[in-house]
Amino acid sequence: FRGGLKLDDESLEQLEEILLAADVGMMTTQHLVAGLRERARRFRDKDVPADWAMNTLKELILDELQHETSAPALAENPPTIVLVVGVNGVGKTTAIGKLAARYVREGMTVLLIAGDTFRAAAAEQLAIWAERAGCEIHSAQEGADPASVVYDGLAHARRLGAHMVIIDTAGRLHTKTHLMAELSKIRRVIERDSPGAPHETLLVQDASTGQTGLVQARVFTEATQVTGVVLTKLDGTAKGGVTIAIRRELGLPVKWMGVGEKLDDLELFDPEAFAAAIFN
Amino acid sequence: NLTDRLNQALRRVRGQSHLTEKNIQEALREVRLAFLEADVHVGAVKEFIARVRERALGQEVLASLEPGQHAIKVVYEELTRMLGGDALLDPIPAGGLIVTMLCGLQGSGKTTACAKLALKMKNEGRRPLLVAADVYRPAAVEQLKVLGEKVDVPVFSQPQGARPEQIVERAMAFARAEGRDLLILDTAGRLHIDERMMDELVRIRKLASPQRIFLVIDSMVGQDAVRQAEHFNSRLDVSGVILSKLDGDARGGVALSVRHAIGKPIVFASVGEKPADFEAFHPDRMAGRILG
Ligand SMILES: Nc1nc2c(ncn2[C@@H]2O[C@H](COP(=O)(O)OP(=O)(O)OP(=O)(O)O)[C@@H](O)[C@H]2O)c(=O)[nH]1
Ligand SMILES: Nc1nc2c(ncn2[C@@H]2O[C@H](COP(=O)(O)OP(=O)(O)OP(=O)(O)O)[C@@H](O)[C@H]2O)c(=O)[nH]1
Ligand SMILES: [Mg+2]
Ligand SMILES: [Mg+2]
């Protein structure tokens, strides 16, 4: 938008399309554009300055995303127990490897629990990450009951004196009620094991996910009180816009972002970069 | 649902004989909303609306139908046509080794789809060989081996350190020696914008001359699907698309977006995590799903 621009229907439509193309979704897009219109009123009938509309939209997005509780949770008394959940293929196992490496680097004793006993070679995959991160792993036979693996894993963590326990679970579509019930059961096992646990429940989401991401977040939160989102594959062209709606409706902050397939391709969520990327 | 919304939008048309620009305006807005909620790409939505408007304008409102139902009929037909219509794979010449290569983004469901495709082909009388050409993902080879065992199809792999190109070359020799007639290549997930990895796919393609190149796309993907499809298609000229995770509730607008963007057929639908959860793609079912 060079020079001044009339905040007319055509330019608003263009801005809407940018937001929609970033998977922000119709409802949130309309909410943001309404906010833009509101702020544009002070210009009355004059043209708005160049880039003003885009910068204002960025600000409005940032307003939705800022929150003091976005920092990763740590337990008052170790171990901190983190449960990782999400639908199939989004990057849970990889994110766990990256988190483990980070905490090991910070001097913690970390234990990974291979709670995915369903996927072919899931435990082998996590074991490779544990080796790369430099931490221990607790796993069982494929086909074992995931809740019992978690139960045994938490006991293992105590014997180990672990500061940080990260639990991998099988990918599951939120439409499968029996699998969501299994997840709730896993959560109850963790709750009974230690007061206040799990201290963090991370929902991993692929940045390319469309509007179904919001439904995912609702259902997973209902089954297992999600406390934060890990937004993965942001090194691609997807923007992860549906996380704005997730924040608005459920108060769920994005805490981490995955930016690649290597061990240190995990960063704390950067709302400014996220908002800016939508308009790139 | 959309039928109710269209009936609402068109209630004033009752008693009139033709659809005019004015009275289909609101109906088209409802269609646009439904499509965006279903993750159809904004460009494909625009094109679709233009087509429906053109078809609907001046049309006789059939006395037998509610105007909303009439509109839905036009939308449904146009959608089914855009999703499937003329889309057919060219037949594969008889005899010789058939090579099928699966590619796509990380986590889209390729490895699982390879095993499912192998099972389907085996049940149709073929002698498939699965090829573990993903040398990057931790335990990718193990994963394919476990799946291969499940569907009772042999898996060709090489020890760690081999390059994908070498694996594919040796797999072809092995297949011919062992009388396998169909090679199914599993490749590593990769970003469509990762030039180095896309170059690798082009090299594998040159080596193996696959008769089929299937792009596997996760049906949960939103607006990014078009970018993915366009990049893969421009580098590889894919034969068709496999949509995965259709057992979820994603409305699947990605099907329309991808068809519209690259014009290639959607050939298979993966509808679950079990090996048998794999079927031919049905455009009419997808149309119903997108329309909600
Ligand atoms: N480019 C990119 N790829 C990623 C990222 N995170 C994960 N991946 C890749 O995505 C694919 C799936 O990752 P997994 O960690 O197996 O995903 P998952 O959620 O555990 O999958 P399931 O256990 O099968 O549900 C792998 O190929 C990863 O390397 C990321 O941030 N960027
Ligand atoms: N529910 C469901 N899950 C699926 C379907 N297809 C694949 N999956 C799951 O999606 C996850 C990823 O599948 P993979 O086959 O490992 O995906 P991939 O494309 O090979 O992943 P990378 O090699 O890491 O790029 C696994 O948990 C699969 O079980 C499907 O149709 N429905
Ligand atoms: Mg996993
Ligand atoms: Mg794979």
Side-chain angles (χ1 to χ4, degrees):
Chain A
F1 299 104
R2 297 283 125 73
L5 92 102
K6 273 236 151 332
L7 213 52
D8 57 4
D9 285 348
E10 197 191 318
S11 52
L12 277 179
E13 191 171 316
Q14 285 189 339
L15 290 169
E16 266 194 13
E17 285 200 1
I18 294 176
L19 293 174
L20 289 171
D23 289 312
V24 171
M26 202 58 195
M27 295 221 53
T28 303
T29 296
Q30 287 175 341
H31 169 77
L32 291 170
V33 169
L36 180 69
R37 270 213 175 91
E38 182 66 21
R39 290 204 187 176
R41 294 233 300 257
R42 67 175 210 246
F43 293 105
R44 296 164 201 275
D45 267 346
K46 296 193 242 81
D47 283 354
V48 301
D51 294 344
W52 177 87
M54 234 181 267
N55 287 327
T56 303
L57 277 175
K58 280 186 203 164
E59 274 183 42
L60 289 166
I61 291 171
L62 284 174
D63 285 347
E64 302 287 350
L65 298 179
Q66 311 279 31
H67 199 100
E68 342 74 45
T69 62
S70 310
L74 282 175
E76 283 210 24
N77 303 309
T80 297
I81 300 175
V82 180
L83 177 64
V84 179
V85 304
V87 302
N88 308 68
V90 293
K92 299 177 292 300
T93 306
T94 308
I96 291 170
K98 295 169 178 175
L99 280 170
R102 193 172 255 260
Y103 291 126
V104 167
R105 217 174 296 135
E106 292 178 10
M108 292 190 199
T109 300
V110 178
L111 176 73
L112 302 184
I113 299 180
D116 179 356
T117 56
F118 172 78
R119 246 280 309 278
E124 285 85 336
Q125 183 190 6
L126 190 64
I128 291 171
W129 282 111
E131 191 177 338
R132 290 177 180 180
C135 71
E136 298 247 352
I137 175 172
H138 178 90
S139 57
Q141 296 280 29
E142 199 170 297
D145 169 45
S148 3
V149 179
V150 172
Y151 182 81
D152 294 338
L154 291 172
H156 184 170
R158 272 193 295 282
R159 291 196 301 274
L160 202 63
H163 303 108
M164 170 69 61
V165 181
I166 313 177
I167 303 166
D168 193 10
T169 58
R172 68 203 66 216
L173 294 184
H174 53 286
T175 44
K176 316 246 157 130
T177 27
H178 63 294
L179 294 181
M180 296 311 295
E182 175 185 88
L183 201 57
S184 299
K185 182 167 172 229
I186 290 173
R187 188 197 162 85
R188 283 196 301 278
V189 165
I190 301 169
E191 284 173 358
R192 278 188 227 125
D193 175 85
S194 155
H199 307 95
E200 182 99 89
T201 299
L202 296 173
L203 172 67
V204 182
Q205 274 200 346
D206 189 320
S208 67
T209 304
Q211 295 311 298
T212 182
L214 179 57
V215 186
Q216 277 178 25
R218 282 183 200 135
V219 177
F220 273 90
T221 297
E222 199 166 322
T224 166
Q225 297 163 50
V226 177
T227 57
V229 171
V230 178
L231 193 57
T232 63
K233 309 180 198 171
L234 278 169
D235 46 319
T237 50
K239 314 290 183 182
V242 72
T243 54
I244 303 173
I246 291 173
R247 187 53 184 275
R248 286 191 67 213
E249 183 178 312
L250 301 168
L252 270 185
V254 177
K255 294 203 173 186
W256 297 101
M257 38 191 210
V259 293
E261 302 189 72
K262 302 198 296 299
L263 198 64
D264 28 80
D265 288 334
L266 184 80
E267 301 168 4
L268 283 165
F269 183 58
D270 179 351
E272 302 254 350
F274 173 87
I278 289 178
F279 296 94
N280 280 351
Chain B
N1 63 34
L2 188 60
T3 312
D4 301 333
R5 285 149 68 175
L6 286 181
N7 269 317
Q8 239 327 54
L10 289 174
R11 60 182 179 279
R12 277 180 242 101
V13 176
R14 204 170 307 177
Q16 296 174 26
S17 61
H18 282 85
L19 292 175
T20 65
E21 175 73 55
K22 191 167 185 298
N23 59 36
I24 60 177
Q25 182 85 318
E26 205 163 313
L28 289 177
R29 192 168 18 239
E30 288 298 334
V31 174
R32 178 171 182 262
L33 208 68
F35 274 35
L36 289 171
E37 282 169 9
D39 291 321
V40 182
H41 187 255
V42 289
V45 175
K46 263 190 171 158
E47 159 108 5
F48 186 85
I49 298 292
R51 282 201 199 191
V52 166
R53 172 181 282 119
E54 194 179 341
R55 245 196 80 173
L57 214 47
Q59 257 210 355
E60 286 227 3
V61 179
L62 301 180
S64 53
L65 287 179
E66 290 274 354
Q69 286 178 325
H70 178 93
I72 254 280
K73 183 168 167 301
V74 172
V75 171
Y76 180 81
E77 282 174 7
E78 198 57 29
L79 185 54
T80 306
R81 201 183 59 77
M82 272 181 83
L83 281 172
D86 49 7
L88 272 179
L89 292 174
D90 327 315
I92 296 183
L97 180 67
I98 299 173
V99 180
T100 297
M101 178 169 107
L102 268 70
C103 60
L105 264 73
Q106 291 90 345
S108 57
K110 298 174 294 299
T111 304
T112 317
C114 281
K116 290 173 174 181
L117 188 60
L119 178 65
K120 189 175 213 297
M121 295 292 109
K122 185 171 74 122
N123 291 341
E124 290 180 13
R126 297 254 175 225
R127 295 167 49 79
L129 176 69
L130 287 163
V131 182
D134 177 355
V135 304
Y136 304 96
R137 172 180 162 140
V141 175
E142 275 85 336
Q143 183 189 7
L144 192 61
K145 282 186 176 163
V146 172
L147 291 174
E149 209 164 307
K150 231 185 207 154
V151 298
D152 191 25
V153 169
V155 176
F156 182 88
S157 65
Q158 290 286 271
Q160 195 158 20
R163 299 304 310 157
E165 296 90 327
Q166 296 173 302
I167 299 169
V168 172
E169 266 182 328
R170 290 169 195 170
M172 292 175 80
F174 180 85
R176 292 197 172 100
E178 298 289 314
R180 311 306 298 182
D181 61 7
L182 168 66
L183 219 57
I184 300 178
L185 308 182
D186 183 21
T187 64
R190 66 204 65 215
L191 293 177
H192 48 298
I193 53 170
D194 185 338
E195 287 304 328
R196 210 171 47 81
M197 288 297 277
M198 293 305 286
D199 290 346
E200 175 187 277
L201 272 184
V202 173
R203 282 200 303 279
I204 295 175
R205 181 193 187 204
K206 253 212 181 85
L207 259 176
S209 304
Q211 287 90 345
R212 296 278 190 252
I213 299 177
F214 290 129
L215 172 61
V216 180
I217 298 187
D218 189 330
S219 63
M220 297 188 293
V221 174
Q223 300 288 319
D224 202 50
V226 166
R227 280 176 223 125
Q228 296 177 15
E230 283 180 336
H231 278 78
F232 272 84
N233 193 45
S234 78
R235 299 299 312 270
L236 299 170
D237 186 19
V238 307
S239 325
V241 170
I242 297 175
L243 275 189
S244 70
K245 307 175 202 172
L246 277 171
D247 45 322
D249 64 0
R251 298 265 293 284
V254 64
L256 182 64
S257 309
V258 170
R259 269 292 284 160
H260 175 255
I262 65 174
K264 297 292 168 75
I266 299 171
V267 186
F268 294 112
S270 178
V271 292
E273 293 195 74
K274 299 195 299 302
D277 298 331
F278 197 68
E279 52 189 46
F281 176 74
H282 299 283
D284 53 344
R285 277 191 222 163
M286 195 76 234
R289 181 178 178 135
I290 291 175
L291 295 177

